[in-house]
Amino acid sequence: IFIHCGDAQQGRSPSRDLPDFLSWFRSLPFRHKFFVRGNHDTTREWKDRLGAHFLRGPRSVEDLKIFGVPYQQGFMAAAYSMQIPQGLDLLVSHEPPHKILDFASASSLRADHIGSRELKSALGRLSHKSRQTKRRLSPRVHLFGHVHEGRGAWEQDGTLFLNVANANPGMARTLQHPCVVLDLATDGSGEVQLVSGLKVAPRDGEKK
């Protein structure tokens, strides 16, 4: 399974970026390929041209339960976050949750945590229910990007959070990092292994 967490469009119009991206994306030798919309992917054309590869809402592939949250603002952001179901194997969004691998230290405006408060609230509810019921209700893995300098891995409340942004800090001009490869067990063990691209920070480390 190949997953792109958004921001494939660089300019104001997809007329140049979309054909090149589609050519590259379709050439990738993966059985399943998904794309979740980022804040720079500004037009409906991305959804129309990507078709079934456009990830929004629930999917079930290779015995894995996946849910996609495209970039949204205002009440739509809250609406999508509220729909995140229990017991996911993989949650995919463009934005990180607030205060998890979301510190925009290279911002031209001000350095701050810029992650989604709606995602933080939704995941907090699932984590609270998990503790009450003593069952795994939170996602096994949450993939996202958006904050380039937040790239990293962090474990919290039973979820492995992965900021897989691969561009330079601040405004994206070039790709600096490789893709992240992980292995999710489908045998019921719940095991998740980071194969390459990132290492999980120690518990006393930094989760910015």
Side-chain angles (χ1 to χ4, degrees), residues 4-11 17-18 21 35-36 38 40-41 46:
H4 192 295
C5 290
D7 276 2
Q9 183 176 322
Q10 295 183 345
D17 297 328
L18 183 53
F21 177 80
F35 176 91
V36 66
H40 290 288
D41 311 314
W46 286 92

Side-chain angles (χ1 to χ4, degrees), residues 140-187:
R140 289 167 65 191
V141 177
H142 183 185
L143 285 180
F144 49 86
H146 188 54
V147 183
H148 306 159
E149 54 270 42
R151 180 182 171 93
W154 179 258
E155 287 184 308
Q156 181 174 312
D157 296 331
T159 297
L160 175 60
F161 294 92
L162 298 176
N163 183 329
V164 296
N166 58 3
N168 61 277
M171 183 65 70
R173 294 180 177 85
T174 185
L175 300 182
Q176 291 189 342
H177 305 286
C179 291
V180 174
V181 180
L182 64 154
D183 187 1
L184 276 72
T186 57
D187 59 1

Side-chain angles (χ1 to χ4, degrees), residues 71-202:
Y71 179 81
Q72 300 286 346
Q73 290 182 306
F75 77 93
M76 289 299 293
Y80 274 108
S81 297
M82 288 290 289
Q83 295 174 30
I84 297 173
Q86 301 176 358
L88 286 175
D89 295 297
L90 188 57
L91 173 63
V92 184
S93 63
H94 178 64
E95 293 180 282
H98 187 61
K99 290 195 173 181
I100 294 182
L101 304 173
D102 74 330
F103 193 70
S105 59
S107 171
S108 59
L109 300 175
R110 64 189 178 100
D112 203 355
H113 293 279
I114 62 171
S116 167
R117 294 179 184 273
E118 292 83 6
L119 279 171
K120 178 183 179 180
S121 178
L123 292 171
R125 285 192 295 272
L126 290 176
S127 178
H128 179 68
K129 280 188 176 181
S130 291
R131 290 192 294 271
Q132 285 186 320
T133 62
K134 301 187 184 327
R135 294 187 296 123
R136 184 188 69 81
L137 304 179
S138 300
R140 289 167 65 191
V141 177
H142 183 185
L143 285 180
F144 49 86
H146 188 54
V147 183
H148 306 159
E149 54 270 42
R151 180 182 171 93
W154 179 258
E155 287 184 308
Q156 181 174 312
D157 296 331
T159 297
L160 175 60
F161 294 92
L162 298 176
N163 183 329
V164 296
N166 58 3
N168 61 277
M171 183 65 70
R173 294 180 177 85
T174 185
L175 300 182
Q176 291 189 342
H177 305 286
C179 291
V180 174
V181 180
L182 64 154
D183 187 1
L184 276 72
T186 57
D187 59 1
S189 67
E191 182 180 354
V192 179
Q193 180 181 358
L194 268 173
V195 178
S196 65
L198 286 175
K199 292 183 178 180
V200 179

